[in-house]
Amino acid sequence: MASKVTLRTLNALRERQEPAVFVTAYDYPTATFAERAGVDMILVGDSAAMTMMGLPNTLGVGMDEMIVFVRSVCRAAKRTFVVGDLPFLSYQPSDETAVLNAGRFIATGCDAVKCEGGVRVAPRVRAMVDAGINVMGHLGLTPQNIGQLSGYRVQGKSRAAVDKLVDDALALQEAGAFAILLEAMPAVAAKYVRDHVDILVYGIGAGPHVDGQLVISHDILGNFVGDIAPRFAKQYARVGAQIEEVFRTYAHEVRNASFPAPEHCYPIDPAQEAEIRDCQLHRDTPLVTSDTLARLTASALS
Ligand code: KIV
């Protein structure tokens, strides 16, 4: 097995100008496949609310649910760097809340945590870093304050907006964050931010001038159930359609009795089989049909 991805590895990738490969995962099989494929980082995103739980946005997932996703991913991802995404209200209320919840993710096996916001969460970031926790910031389209952003809108589209992003990025850097994730902004805006900080800068929908690319695994696999289809989400497969087709075929085969076939049934010694069949002979009457049941019920009631 290749060696564990750490902050040193991530910084070395940047030194070599190799983009880090970053995907979301929420369960054991997906994390296993991502690890086998050699991705560098997994985000156990609060997007689980939408991808795994069918909620309309990320606000409805809590720490206890996130811990289940984090535990499943960490069990699979032995080499990959795992980032646990702090859900809504798990860090905003106080430094203490932030440290305790981030600590739960770290104790479960994460290498780092992520939280949304810049200047306004900088004290929380400092508190978590001071507790010995690696923290990634998240700027641009930050889904936990979707109301304030008036929906899923592209960010950083003006000089004023990118200057605000830089202020936020510098506040995160100053607070000790090891990296910042930029979401949904023009490539030039992401480059502008990256040029103003020294820490790692990753992007999701932020163009190529960053230190690595994050995608939502359901988007690239094609198994997201919902209406949101961001421009940056390239679909490499249609796994959802394949799953549906498999269920359709299975249902058809069960209903027409072509499944299970002999090869799906356990063999038995012929002598034992004959003995069992003999014992069953006297019970070889058909099962009670609905017609029989109706007749019996009618005669009992008459
Ligand atoms: O929860 C998540 O997957 C995220 C990405 C959208 C950046 O935060």
Side-chain angles (χ1 to χ4, degrees):
M1 188 175 77
S3 54
K4 169 77 188 162
V5 177
T6 62
L7 292 192
R8 275 170 69 111
T9 324
L10 298 176
N11 283 305
L13 282 177
R14 184 178 52 189
E15 295 268 296
R16 299 198 300 271
Q17 300 189 358
E18 284 178 34
V21 180
F22 196 7
V23 301
T24 67
Y26 320 91
D27 58 58
Y28 182 80
T30 309
T32 300
F33 301 138
E35 166 128 333
R36 285 186 196 161
V39 309
D40 301 303
M41 307 166 79
I42 290 177
L43 173 69
V44 188
D46 64 353
S47 50
M50 300 162 81
T51 56
M52 301 296 285
M53 299 165 71
L55 293 169
N57 54 48
T58 61
L59 303 177
V61 67
M63 270 306 290
D64 290 345
E65 290 151 323
M66 286 299 296
I67 287 285
V68 175
F69 296 127
V70 160
R71 189 181 301 136
S72 312
V73 166
C74 290
R75 205 172 285 140
K78 301 289 178 238
R79 180 198 54 82
T80 315
F81 191 90
V82 179
V83 182
D85 201 9
L86 288 165
F88 185 51
L89 296 188
S90 69
Y91 58 97
Q92 289 94 339
S94 67
D95 289 356
E96 190 180 342
T97 326
V99 172
L100 288 175
N101 284 319
R104 282 184 76 190
F105 277 175
I106 299 298
T108 307
C110 287
D111 300 294
V113 301
K114 175 172 86 58
C115 63
E116 298 183 7
V119 170
R120 65 182 173 183
V121 299
R124 305 286 177 267
V125 172
R126 170 49 63 197
M128 292 186 276
V129 170
D130 284 349
I133 296 168
N134 290 327
V135 181
M136 175 183 287
H138 179 172
L139 297 174
L141 200 177
T142 43
Q144 289 177 15
N145 64 318
I146 202 72
Q148 290 178 331
L149 298 179
S150 300
Y152 294 98
R153 311 176 82 83
V154 179
Q155 303 294 305
K157 288 171 69 173
S158 68
R159 177 68 200 273
V162 290
D163 281 336
K164 167 83 171 64
L165 284 169
V166 167
D167 287 348
D168 282 330
L170 288 171
L172 290 170
Q173 175 170 281
E174 181 67 19
F178 76 95
I180 297 169
L181 175 69
L182 300 176
E183 178 168 355
M185 65 185 65
V188 67
K191 181 176 185 316
Y192 189 80
V193 176
R194 184 175 181 262
D195 287 347
H196 280 80
V197 293
D198 300 320
I199 57 177
L200 296 162
V201 175
Y202 299 111
I204 174 164
H209 312 298
V210 286
D211 299 307
Q213 296 292 332
L214 171 67
V215 287
I216 305 276
S217 55
H218 286 66
D219 286 342
I220 61 169
L221 293 170
N223 62 344
F224 178 64
V225 181
D227 298 329
I228 300 172
R231 178 190 174 93
F232 56 80
K234 179 173 175 185
Q235 206 177 75
Y236 290 79
R238 298 187 66 228
V239 168
Q242 272 182 286
I243 293 173
E244 190 174 322
E245 191 50 35
V246 168
F247 286 142
R248 245 181 247 295
T249 307
Y250 167 67
H252 179 72
E253 292 195 359
V254 169
R255 289 180 183 133
N256 73 11
S258 58
F259 178 86
E263 65 269 27
H264 307 118
C265 298
Y266 293 105
I268 185 170
D269 174 72
Q272 294 295 325
E273 181 176 357
E275 206 173 308
I276 294 170
R277 277 187 191 281
D278 285 350
C279 283
Q280 277 186 332
L281 272 185
H282 66 285
R283 286 179 161 261
D284 251 0
T285 46
L287 292 173
V288 178
T289 64
S290 51
D291 281 355
T292 318
L293 197 59
R295 248 184 309 106
L296 290 173
T297 312
S299 70
L301 292 176
S302 63

